[in-house]
Amino acid sequence: MSLQISEKNEVFYLNGKINFETTTFFKKYFVKLNKEKIVINIENVKQIDKEGLKAILVLINLANRNNKLFSITGYGCKEIYDYFDQMNVA
């Protein structure tokens, strides 16, 4: 399954997998956006592998460097934040 991204009311809804096959598309999609705030909803993401987590971290760090907001909502987002907090990388 690929990754599909749609936008509604300034929230980006992801459907599919964030893994080694989709991370290039995932990062490019959000890096090219010129927005002050990016909110992604992962409610319909079926899998996030190690490469997917790295891609999310890249986007978080890029947003931080540019004083922009990057946030994740949906079932599973707390686990992602906890993972980065435990790794002390974000």
Side-chain angles (χ1 to χ4, degrees):
M1 174 183 268
S2 62
L3 178 65
Q4 298 172 335
I5 303 172
S6 60
E7 181 181 7
K8 183 177 181 183
N9 299 327
E10 298 186 13
V11 175
F12 294 90
Y13 293 86
L14 281 54
N15 187 6
K17 298 178 181 180
I18 306 172
N19 61 20
F20 70 97
E21 295 175 347
T22 62
T23 55
T24 300
F25 164 72
F26 175 71
K27 287 188 292 188
K28 283 182 181 180
Y29 185 92
F30 289 105
V31 167
K32 72 178 182 174
L33 292 177
N34 189 18
K35 294 189 175 256
E36 291 299 312
K37 175 175 97 171
I38 294 177
V39 178
I40 64 170
N41 181 295
I42 61 167
E43 191 75 30
N44 290 318
V45 172
K46 308 297 183 231
Q47 174 195 26
I48 302 176
D49 70 4
K50 186 176 176 180
E51 294 303 313
L53 289 172
K54 287 180 188 178
I56 291 170
L57 182 59
V58 166
L59 296 177
I60 290 170
N61 288 334
L62 185 61
N64 287 339
R65 277 194 306 262
N66 293 316
N67 295 319
K68 296 184 178 187
L69 174 70
F70 184 90
S71 61
I72 304 168
T73 63
Y75 184 77
C77 67
K78 182 178 179 334
E79 287 81 359
I80 293 171
Y81 284 117
D82 289 346
Y83 172 78
F84 288 140
D85 189 45
Q86 288 175 355
M87 301 304 290
N88 198 22
V89 294

